Amino acid sequence: MPDTTIVLRSEPGIKRDGTKFEGNFYTDGQWVRFQRGLPRKIGGYRSISKYLTEVSRGITSFTQQNFVYCHSGGANSLERFTVDSSGNTSIISDRTPSTLVNSDLNQWMFDYQYDSSSSFNSIIAHVSPNLSCICNDTGGQIFIGDVLDTTALVEIPLPASANATGGIVVLHPYLFYYGTDGIIGHSVAGDPTDLTGAGSNIARPWGQKIVKGLPLRAGAGSAPAGLFWAYDAVIRATFTGGATTFQYDVIATETSIMSENCVVDYDGVFFWAGMDRFLMFNGVVREVPNQMNLNYFYEGLNTAQRSKVFAYKVPRFGEIWWCYPKGDATECTHAVIFNVRENSWYDTELPNLGRSAGVYNNSLMSPLLTGVVPTTEGYYVWIHERGTNEINGQVINPITSYFETADLSQLVQGRNVYTRVTSIEPDFIQSGPMTVQITGRANARAPEVYSSVFSFPEQADLPFEQVVMLKEQRRELRARFTSSAVNGDYQMGQIIGHVSTGDGTMLG
């Protein structure tokens, strides 16, 4: 090959399954996302100035005027705080119900409904010891209170023949509860505290436990409607009126669901993690194709802790995040990410040893996630997608972000030679210095050979800073770009590599 130029660009996403040499996707990355098919650094995160007393096992947010009202449930408590648009927070108030059954296995679920009997917007909280298995068939309590208040929530009594081991969902103006043996029940219209009066009902549309419910779009005469996930089926509820009020029909059988918090409603399409594949519902249930990190996720998942898997969305970038415990971790340490716009997958390690719960708030335009590392004050709450750094009080730390290209090789053109890269012309929207390192192998079984690390500044003030001089060769060659400076940020453009033919051996 004579001296020529190529564009150092791979297909969007990070491919973990299979070998590095088999695909045209990026082969490695950390804290990097894809937009317009190109890599860019994921946003920073900052801790709020108050601390939870326990690891959060469920967090929710409600916006009114300029405040976001947050509630977090733990093994023995329910706590509440507010966040304003600038990230300022209130004190944390204890709203723990006096009748809460304490358990290290407690997992929380929340929803909101206007309570016509009390004339205020209510937060409705559900707790059940589901943390070791969503198939748990004991416990299940429902509590209610004014969402803007700071007083303790009070328990809503269940009918004698009912249970709520699964959870709750509001299909306005009804509160639904569900659980073991396929039970789904609902309240009197407009009164979530009345589960036995005229207009309430109990049905058993399925045999196994119902573990999740969400509102579903419906037509005139059949609204409200909801979608319910059983342990092994998906069921639809639609309003009919009359004595039964709602009818239920089975959408799909032989499905699965990993945890009660792994479902995301993205613009009316539901995505969730099953026990062995990712699924979606857009009128019908179907698999979400994943040839990028399906094996990486399921083979890396600590299945003993799978009930802790939680999901949230980042709509600005078209993303759905599934946070999960990897390896022998007991908290969620990593995330796999499906980008709806790019129709691609990637992944990242989570910061600070992981996160335990999360929710996206439209008002803040940010996810709120909770930490897992105890401090002398308690547990951190983090606001993500803020700036470019990790900010914890007065301490500012850089966030390392990198990506590694697919293999660049003349082998795919039938030429059994090394590829030599002599220089690179970086093209980034960039803050702070970045580095590039060449890696690769003589063949697919040979060891990786890493070059020196070459730095290039945010702004090229001198001619020699405009390009990176490398003079490296590999038979299978890749480039890794890294940002690790305070205030560091980047969006990749069209990077030009100057390449030529190198040596001809196939041995390392």
Side-chain angles (χ1 to χ4, degrees), residues 370-446:
T370 54
V372 299
V373 178
T375 69
T376 54
E377 295 91 354
Y379 291 86
Y380 291 117
V381 177
W382 300 90
I383 303 177
H384 280 232
E385 303 294 344
R386 291 293 178 96
T388 60
N389 301 313
E390 174 189 297
I391 301 177
N392 190 354
Q394 300 300 312
V395 179
I396 300 176
N397 293 316
I399 299 173
T400 297
S401 172
Y402 65 83
F403 62 91
E404 188 172 297
T405 66
D407 274 303
L408 307 173
S409 173
Q410 297 182 58
L411 298 175
V412 295
Q413 302 168 1
R415 305 191 70 217
N416 187 20
V417 292
Y418 275 51
T419 297
R420 178 183 290 115
V421 56
T422 57
S423 61
I424 288 176
E425 301 176 30
D427 180 32
F428 288 91
I429 298 173
Q430 180 183 341
S431 297
M434 291 183 67
T435 63
V436 60
Q437 185 178 33
I438 299 301
T439 184
R441 305 164 294 189
N443 60 70
R445 293 165 59 88

Side-chain angles (χ1 to χ4, degrees), residues 229-310:
W229 285 260
Y231 192 71
D232 60 346
V234 180
I235 299 161
R236 177 172 52 197
T238 50
F239 180 78
T240 59
T244 58
T245 315
F246 286 85
Q247 70 174 10
Y248 300 89
D249 60 303
V250 177
I251 299 296
T253 62
E254 298 299 324
T255 61
S256 62
I257 183 170
M258 181 166 291
S259 68
E260 63 185 48
N261 292 319
C262 76
V263 186
V264 167
D265 178 353
Y266 193 99
D267 293 341
V269 179
F270 301 92
F271 295 85
W272 70 97
M275 297 301 292
D276 53 8
R277 56 183 175 150
F278 292 90
L279 297 158
M280 63 178 291
F281 175 82
N282 62 352
V284 295
V285 173
R286 63 184 183 90
E287 183 175 344
V288 182
N290 181 358
Q291 299 185 36
M292 306 282 285
N293 55 27
L294 185 74
N295 296 334
Y296 176 83
F297 173 71
Y298 283 101
E299 292 172 8
L301 171 70
N302 183 350
T303 55
Q305 305 291 331
R306 63 193 177 206
S307 290
K308 293 178 180 176
V309 173
F310 68 93

Side-chain angles (χ1 to χ4, degrees), residues 52 54-57 59 72 310 331-332 351-358 368-374 378-382 384:
L52 301 173
E54 297 182 301
V55 174
S56 177
R57 298 304 180 194
I59 187 170
S72 171
F310 68 93
E331 300 290 350
C332 295
N352 316 115
L353 300 181
R355 301 287 189 254
S356 67
L368 289 160
L369 289 98
T370 54
V372 299
V373 178
Y379 291 86
Y380 291 117
V381 177
W382 300 90
H384 280 232

